[in-house]
Amino acid sequence: MQIADRMRRKIEEALAPAQLEIIDDSHRHAGHAGHDGRGESHFRVLIVSEAFAGKSRVERQRLVYDLLAAELKDRVHALSLTTRTPGETEKAGG
């Protein structure tokens, strides 16, 4: 199973997101630290979930990092997170 697929499954099971986008940016980091040529090392992730309600930005990120601990130990070198509740997404205009 691909790294992105594993991340998607874990996030969906744990956070039941209203919106989830996982973008593999590995190709943009060729030659940089953490890029070994295999890909799936650098990701941008948008998660919109009610599970983030009442949590600070740091608490939300820790929650996601804990969910994806195995992937972060394996091949994922960089993970850029945007974490919002559905209400915050509406206020931000989508």
Side-chain angles (χ1 to χ4, degrees), residues 74-89:
D74 183 14
R75 287 180 41 195
V76 177
H77 172 75
L79 190 62
S80 172
L81 297 175
T82 300
T83 55
R84 297 182 182 142
T85 65
E88 290 168 341
T89 298

Side-chain angles (χ1 to χ4, degrees), residues 24-30 32 35 42 44:
D24 185 349
D25 273 343
S26 302
H27 65 284
R28 298 178 63 197
H29 298 274
H32 296 173
H35 188 277
H42 295 70
R44 281 185 292 135

Side-chain angles (χ1 to χ4, degrees), residues 5-33:
D5 294 334
R6 285 181 10 207
M7 291 183 351
R8 178 175 302 282
R9 181 182 48 81
K10 288 181 176 186
I11 293 168
E12 286 176 345
E13 287 176 3
L15 302 176
Q19 182 180 353
L20 175 59
E21 295 177 18
I22 299 175
I23 300 161
D24 185 349
D25 273 343
S26 302
H27 65 284
R28 298 178 63 197
H29 298 274
H32 296 173

